[in-house]
Amino acid sequence: MTGGVQEGRCLCGAIKVTLAVPAAVADACHCSMCRQLSGGGPHFAVEGDGRRPCIEGEAALRVYRSSDWAERAFCGICGTPIWYRFIEDDYHSISAGLFDGNELTLNKQIFIEEKPALYDLANDTPRLTGEEVIAEYMAKKNA
């Protein structure tokens, strides 16, 4: 995977995602909801370039409102996580596992204060707390 337009799909192929990405990087989220969604480990996600991803197979898409401000989508057939989305501004964080030939570099780890002792990632990356992540997001939003 390199920067540019990338295509990915869920495990069963019912949902296809096309996303413009500025770079081949992913973030690892250690928050309790992401860990529960991913089976106990971090959830790896790719940020697009700000444009809404193109989704094919929306009939199979299931959306769960996980908080007052965000929702998560997954394939209703195979269960593959598709995205995390801030409702207010339609920002999407797309699951890194959707993309074939994944050659991503880990960019940063977020919600590091919620990471359990179960695992450690060896990558030397920035490690942001939830408070720092929200501050970074708000700064981008208000820029």
Side-chain angles (χ1 to χ4, degrees):
M1 174 188 240
T2 60
V5 176
Q6 300 297 322
E7 294 181 355
R9 68 184 184 301
C10 66
L11 184 62
C12 71
I15 297 174
K16 293 184 174 87
V17 176
T18 303
L19 178 69
V21 297
V25 298
D27 296 341
C29 183
H30 301 287
C31 81
S32 61
M33 282 192 269
C34 281
R35 287 186 290 107
Q36 190 169 18
L37 180 71
S38 69
H43 178 70
F44 295 95
V46 175
E47 289 188 33
D49 66 357
R51 291 179 277 178
R52 187 171 176 43
C54 177
I55 307 291
E56 294 178 44
E58 288 193 43
L61 196 67
R62 299 296 177 266
V63 178
Y64 170 67
R65 186 148 183 180
S66 56
S67 66
D68 290 340
W69 60 88
E71 65 185 18
R72 298 164 188 269
F74 60 94
C75 176
I77 298 169
C78 66
T80 300
I82 307 296
W83 76 58
Y84 173 90
R85 180 178 85 90
F86 285 119
I87 296 165
E88 179 181 316
D89 64 2
D90 205 32
Y91 163 84
H92 287 73
S93 179
I94 306 297
S95 294
L98 298 177
F99 303 100
D100 289 333
N102 222 342
E103 298 170 0
L104 295 168
T105 301
L106 188 61
N107 182 48
K108 64 185 168 194
Q109 298 180 55
I110 62 174
F111 287 86
I112 195 68
E113 76 278 13
E114 293 187 37
K115 187 192 83 53
L118 173 66
Y119 62 84
D120 282 310
L121 300 180
N123 310 65
D124 184 20
T125 62
R127 297 167 184 248
L128 282 67
T129 64
E131 186 175 314
E132 291 168 327
V133 170
I134 292 166
E136 182 180 87
Y137 171 75
M138 294 305 289
K140 283 182 186 178
K141 181 180 167 185
N142 295 326

